Amino acid sequence: MAYQRYLGDAYLNDAEIQAWCRALAEARPGWVTLTELGPTREGRPILLLTLGKNDGRQDERPGFWLDGGTHAAEWTGVMAALYAVSQWIQRIDEGDGAFTRWLSQHTITVLPNVSPDGYEALIQGAPYLRSTLRPPPEGAARSGLDPCDLDGDGATRWMRWRHPAGPFVQDEETPLFMRPRRLSDSPHDAFFMSFEGELLNWDGARWTSAPTRYGLDLNRNFPAHWAPFSMFGQDGGRYPLSEIESRAVIDAFAARPMLSAGLTNHTYTGALLTQPYRQDSPMKDGDVRLMEALAKEACEGTGYRVIRVCPDFMYDPKRAIVGVWADTMSSVFGVPGYTLELWNPYAYCGVEVPRPAEFFANPDPAVLRAMVSRFSAQPGATSPWRAFDHPQLGPVELGGIDYMRTVRNPPLAELAAECHRGFLVADRLRLALPRVQAQLSTPGEGGGPRLVRLQLENLGCLGSAGLARAEEVGAAPPVSTSLSLGPGLRLVHGAPEQAGHHLDGWGGARGFGAAHPIYPSLPARGHRAVFEWWVEGEGTLTARWRGGRGGQGAATAQIS
């Protein structure tokens, strides 16, 4: 297929995503390279796109990371990643000089779909699953209701049947909505309710839910604070990076030490999540403040909120959130790593949920009613209750919302706007990368030893290490230089190879209190480093430098 811009006008399947990525790399070889990671259990490649001037020096430049699809049901994150790539490519095609110059000095690495197996299963109508198609442990017995598409309409909706012991009743205002039963409700009006499905290994009596078939939560399988995890029928794997997909992500990120900031796309709630992730977080206060300040700027005008995960986005205040990819970016690699929760179905339905994570465990029925009512007005988003002859339960009713295209992801008519909001966040965060420049001088003239002076200067928002955390754990490339002398020159003073301190970024003033508009001051370390040597003779010399994650290069001078 020929490359065409992705406009947020369709939910693509995995084959279409692969074809699109390959077509882009073939159409724009000067700016795009394609790398295959994986394969997955099902044999699908995990594709990685790198945007940047393709001159063989991409790995020397500061980089920004963007991904989607860690959770297979969160299609919008994948589509938003493709949309962002399209927007950036369009700027190149239209001759945007400022962006082209930026991309000649930086890279953008995009992994559109982290979990292609699970993603494709859900696109094809499989029941909800969290991430991958990792099967249950060998020998595990599953019994109880297993969700599936009973009537073949392409969606796994809801199923209800009347029974006096049921915990639900039909809502008086919105018939499609099943509200929690009250003490005053008649037993005659009571229902049991579940996702539509069949009972596995049924004993003919009990109505229970089967353990989740594909219960792995890939976003609990990363190294940061990993610990055994179980919630909502999901787990974080047997050990950190036990899964092909999480290992591929980590290996790709670690192989690119110049990556300086990252964004991972998810759904839903309309929020950008930032540090800290736990009360005993290893992140220093300065890093937390800096990340929050950058997040707020990135979200301006988008409608997204900025939320600290701890304490404001925790499902259970007593349990730390473990094994998260964005937290791993920050606490393991020392770069600002954010989770963007695209799509706010609450706002779309005209209701407000101040604490989204808490709402999952303790929802307000009035909010749920409003959501079902709003989606009922969306063509094709819901199906009214209709009779169905269940092979085990007998007469039941099927109906409800198309969860994947209402709550978890926006209706198609809303997708393009959501992708654009996500692009704005990514496009602003990329501007935070460090950028180190070098100036080589040889002051003086005439005979005798000559001073050689190399000054490195960070002009970027972030420091040359990314976050202070990177310096603490040794995750960032060092700031260093080496001097090579051509024939006719001799080094008389100064070590040929020298190490320097990391260079502050201008954004650090907000994170570390190095400047205050009322009480202005200068930082203790600063954004510059100076290296000096004394040489004598005549000839050409070369100073090679590395500015941490802010870039690397070489400068030459002629001594005469």
Side-chain angles (χ1 to χ4, degrees):
M1 65 174 286
Y3 166 72
Q4 291 183 327
R5 286 175 56 204
Y6 174 72
L7 302 175
D9 52 355
Y11 286 109
L12 306 183
N13 63 33
D14 183 65
E16 292 168 331
I17 293 169
Q18 287 194 45
W20 187 89
C21 292
R22 297 184 192 283
L24 170 61
E26 183 176 344
R28 304 292 188 276
W31 291 100
V32 181
T33 56
L34 178 68
T35 305
E36 288 194 12
L37 313 176
T40 65
R41 282 186 177 84
E42 300 287 313
R44 294 183 176 87
I46 302 170
L47 298 184
L48 188 75
L49 294 167
T50 300
L51 280 61
K53 189 174 182 180
N54 196 357
D55 57 1
R57 298 183 58 195
Q58 295 96 321
D59 291 343
E60 300 177 9
R61 298 172 180 138
F64 175 70
W65 173 278
L66 174 65
D67 69 55
T70 302
H71 291 145
E74 297 169 5
W75 305 338
T76 312
V78 179
M79 299 302 104
L82 299 183
Y83 181 93
V85 171
S86 290
Q87 293 294 308
W88 288 320
I89 294 299
Q90 182 184 9
R91 289 182 180 178
I92 296 173
D93 292 345
E94 293 177 348
D96 184 330
F99 179 73
T100 303
R101 286 191 296 274
W102 186 91
L103 199 59
S104 297
Q105 300 172 340
H106 305 80
T107 61
I108 302 174
T109 301
V110 183
L111 201 166
N113 195 3
V114 174
S115 302
D117 290 350
Y119 176 94
E120 181 64 13
L122 287 171
I123 282 283
Q124 298 303 327
Y128 177 83
L129 60 93
R130 190 59 165 163
S131 293
T132 75
L133 298 185
R134 184 213 63 184
E138 185 176 355
R142 299 178 65 236
S143 62
L145 190 130
D146 188 38
C148 64
D149 180 11
L150 287 174
D151 58 0
D153 70 348
T156 303
R157 301 181 191 269
W158 303 331
M159 179 169 69
R160 71 178 188 180
W161 60 101
R162 197 179 296 272
H163 192 279
F168 294 95
V169 298
Q170 180 172 294
D171 186 70
E172 296 81 358
E173 299 178 19
T174 306
L176 190 61
F177 177 56
M178 300 296 292
R179 64 167 175 80
R181 181 178 173 179
R182 303 189 186 103
L183 292 173
S184 57
D185 290 323
S186 169
H188 176 75
D189 296 328
F191 288 84
F192 278 93
M193 181 182 172
S194 69
F195 285 108
E196 61 178 299
E198 296 182 344
L199 290 154
L200 302 177
N201 299 311
W202 191 37
D203 61 7
R206 293 181 301 162
W207 296 332
T208 60
S209 294
T212 305
R213 182 179 182 187
Y214 302 118
L216 175 79
D217 186 341
L218 201 62
N219 208 31
R220 299 295 182 271
N221 191 237
F222 288 94
H225 312 298
W226 186 91
F229 165 84
S230 179
M231 186 179 289
F232 305 137
Q234 301 154 15
D235 67 87
R238 292 178 54 220
Y239 52 87
L241 304 182
S242 62
E243 304 308 305
I244 295 169
E245 294 83 359
S246 55
R247 175 71 66 175
V249 169
I250 285 288
D251 286 348
F253 198 95
R256 293 160 175 80
M258 302 299 283
L259 287 168
S260 308
L263 179 68
T264 177
N265 286 340
H266 288 248
T267 67
Y268 56 97
T269 61
L272 187 62
L273 307 184
T274 186
Q275 291 283 347
Y277 272 74
R278 53 195 296 140
Q279 289 186 344
D280 58 345
S281 170
M283 304 297 296
K284 297 292 189 290
D285 289 345
D287 282 346
V288 172
R289 290 195 299 270
L290 172 59
M291 287 186 61
E292 188 169 25
L294 292 177
K296 289 178 178 178
E297 187 170 341
C299 290
E300 286 181 4
T302 64
Y304 296 139
R305 290 180 290 167
V306 174
I307 300 178
R308 290 189 177 193
V309 173
C310 179
D312 297 325
F313 204 88
M314 301 182 70
Y315 301 101
D316 182 346
K318 298 178 182 179
R319 299 179 63 186
I321 295 181
V322 299
V324 175
W325 170 219
D327 187 24
T328 298
M329 280 192 249
S330 297
S331 62
V332 175
F333 291 99
V335 306
Y338 299 94
T339 297
L340 178 58
E341 297 285 355
L342 295 144
W343 179 233
N344 188 344
Y346 309 121
Y348 178 76
C349 296
V351 292
E352 185 177 344
V353 176
R355 300 180 69 89
E358 183 179 302
F359 184 80
F360 287 113
N362 187 25
D364 180 351
V367 171
L368 299 178
R369 178 190 298 110
M371 295 177 69
V372 173
S373 177
R374 176 68 175 87
F375 286 127
S376 295
Q378 181 75 31
T382 61
S383 176
W385 294 112
R386 62 196 183 280
F388 184 81
D389 188 17
H390 194 278
Q392 296 159 310
L393 300 175
V396 300
E397 293 176 88
L398 304 181
I401 62 174
D402 181 353
Y403 173 75
M404 294 298 298
R405 296 171 178 84
T406 53
V407 177
R408 182 57 64 176
N409 300 284
L412 189 57
E414 305 296 325
L415 178 59
E418 197 61 39
C419 286
H420 189 70
R421 279 189 285 271
F423 164 69
L424 291 177
V425 174
D427 195 49
R428 291 165 180 170
L429 287 176
R430 70 167 175 87
L431 297 175
L433 302 186
R435 180 60 189 169
V436 174
Q437 294 184 354
Q439 181 179 358
L440 181 65
S441 61
T442 57
E445 59 183 27
R450 292 278 294 275
L451 174 66
V452 178
R453 189 173 191 268
L454 178 71
Q455 176 178 284
L456 300 184
E457 183 174 41
N458 179 20
L459 303 180
C461 172
L462 291 170
S464 62
L467 296 174
R469 175 66 178 172
E471 297 184 61
E472 183 181 7
V473 298
V479 173
S480 60
T481 186
S482 63
L483 185 68
S484 300
L485 302 179
L489 287 174
R490 183 174 70 89
L491 182 64
V492 297
H493 183 71
E497 297 183 358
Q498 298 183 27
H501 60 76
H502 274 286
L503 311 177
D504 295 334
W506 57 261
R510 295 182 294 185
F512 295 95
H516 193 294
I518 302 299
Y519 309 105
S521 64
L522 295 175
R525 182 169 61 179
H527 72 293
R528 288 176 175 168
V530 176
F531 303 87
E532 294 182 341
W533 304 266
W534 287 87
V535 302
E536 63 180 7
E538 296 184 358
T540 301
L541 58 83
T542 300
R544 293 178 174 81
W545 57 272
R546 181 159 199 165
R549 286 174 165 145
Q552 55 186 296
T556 62
Q558 182 71 33
I559 303 293
S560 58

